[in-house]
Amino acid sequence: MHTQRMAVSVSVLALLTLAACGTESGSGSGDGSDTVQSDVPVTGVAWSVDSLTVGGKKTEAPAGSRLEIDPKGRAKAGFGCNHISADARVEGDRITFGKPVSTQMACDETIEKAEKAALAAMDGEVTAKLSGEKLTLTTEGGDTIALSEEKPAGLVGTRWAVNTLLSGETATSVPADLPKERVPHLTFGEDGTVHGNSGCNSFHGKAAVEGSTIDFGPPAGTRKMCPEAEMEVERAVLAALDGPATYTIKGSTLTVTSKDGKGIGATAAPAKSEGTQEHG
């Protein structure tokens, strides 16, 4: 991959379709009949957002911030709270974003600042410049988004913090105001198990991984009652971890989807000691 990109370095937008390459498992490429047209083949690389500079003011991106452009020309960005999306037309080293839209969750001040900067920068035409594994998108007015190529996290042994609940084509952010100890998370073990917290209770169970699928066994765990918002999140998480499911990893983001369309999106989080991982 790196050799191929060196050979076509003049066309850095080959790196901007972030859905296929950088996945640990699963397929990210289609038949090419409905993909963005650009000067070179558009392949997938996951990018993390490092910082945004708008109006001369630099904003450091929160940990886990990401930007991706899929093969059909849809850009998506996330900073840990709302989902930002926009149409994106790729031509040579230029990307033209349509008017970005965002969900309307209330976020903490740091995340809101990054989201506002992204909405301003992802509006209109930008120029892409690649330097090693660093990518800079620059607007005509001089605003910039600085990104780094993500390496795919490993499924096993990573502490995955759940931030998105999926139901068919609908994606809902986990409420940003959940107590930190109630933010759902899960960790897969080398022995074919999974453990974590589902939003209120701690749980553990079987998780047999084969190829791009995970077969979850019935989970066991604590049985405490929490406020309804936390119980609602817990029910959604456990519904996704029930029976066979498919998974993909793009950079630091894990997506798990069951056969009935229920699923979760999670981000690799720094490992914690066993004494602080479980809350019940």
Side-chain angles (χ1 to χ4, degrees):
M1 287 291 293
H2 291 286
T3 301
Q4 183 181 21
R5 289 204 300 271
M6 291 285 287
V8 292
S9 58
V10 68
S11 301
V12 298
L13 270 302
L15 297 176
L16 287 176
T17 300
L18 309 177
C21 192
T23 61
E24 180 173 291
S25 63
S27 174
S29 60
D31 60 8
S33 60
D34 192 22
T35 59
V36 175
Q37 297 300 309
S38 62
D39 290 349
V40 296
V42 181
T43 58
V45 174
W47 296 97
S48 61
V49 181
D50 299 326
S51 64
L52 306 100
T53 302
V54 175
K57 296 182 179 180
K58 184 177 180 180
T59 300
E60 297 296 331
S65 300
R66 302 181 73 253
L67 170 69
E68 61 181 79
I69 300 175
D70 69 26
K72 295 185 179 181
R74 191 69 178 170
K76 297 180 180 179
F79 297 85
C81 184
N82 285 294
H83 297 277
I84 299 171
S85 62
D87 291 329
R89 186 174 72 251
V90 180
E91 296 177 312
D93 65 347
R94 299 294 179 99
I95 308 171
T96 302
F97 290 109
K99 190 69 176 179
V101 296
S102 174
T103 54
Q104 299 297 316
M105 296 276 293
C107 313
D108 67 39
E109 184 177 352
T110 300
I111 294 176
E112 284 187 353
K113 186 177 180 181
E115 289 180 346
K116 288 179 180 178
L119 288 168
M122 292 174 61
D123 189 3
E125 187 175 275
V126 302
T127 301
K129 182 177 180 180
L130 179 69
S131 177
E133 295 182 350
K134 300 288 186 178
L135 179 70
T136 303
L137 305 181
T138 305
T139 69
E140 292 181 340
D143 297 335
T144 62
I145 304 177
L147 310 102
S148 298
E149 182 180 351
E150 285 188 339
K151 303 301 182 183
L155 176 69
V156 174
T158 299
R159 187 177 190 270
W160 296 102
V162 179
N163 51 28
T164 307
L165 306 175
L166 308 173
S167 181
E169 296 297 320
T170 302
T172 304
S173 296
V174 170
D177 58 355
L178 281 182
K180 288 185 178 181
E181 68 272 14
R182 300 302 182 203
V183 175
H185 61 83
L186 61 157
T187 302
F188 294 89
E190 294 183 359
D191 57 353
T193 62
V194 62
H195 68 273
N197 187 288
S198 49
C200 174
N201 290 284
S202 59
F203 74 94
H204 63 274
K206 297 292 185 181
V209 179
E210 184 175 353
S212 61
T213 65
I214 305 172
D215 192 2
F216 292 99
T222 56
R223 296 179 178 272
K224 296 199 304 185
M225 295 299 294
C226 296
E228 179 56 26
E230 297 168 28
M231 297 304 295
E232 185 176 351
V233 169
E234 176 163 282
R235 287 191 289 269
V237 170
L238 293 178
L241 308 180
D242 183 14
T246 60
Y247 83 96
T248 59
I249 296 176
K250 300 174 185 176
S252 61
T253 297
L254 167 71
T255 302
V256 177
T257 309
S258 63
K259 287 186 175 180
D260 63 1
K262 304 293 184 183
I264 58 171
T267 301
K272 295 184 179 181
S273 66
E274 288 298 315
T276 59
Q277 274 190 342
E278 305 306 333
H279 305 275

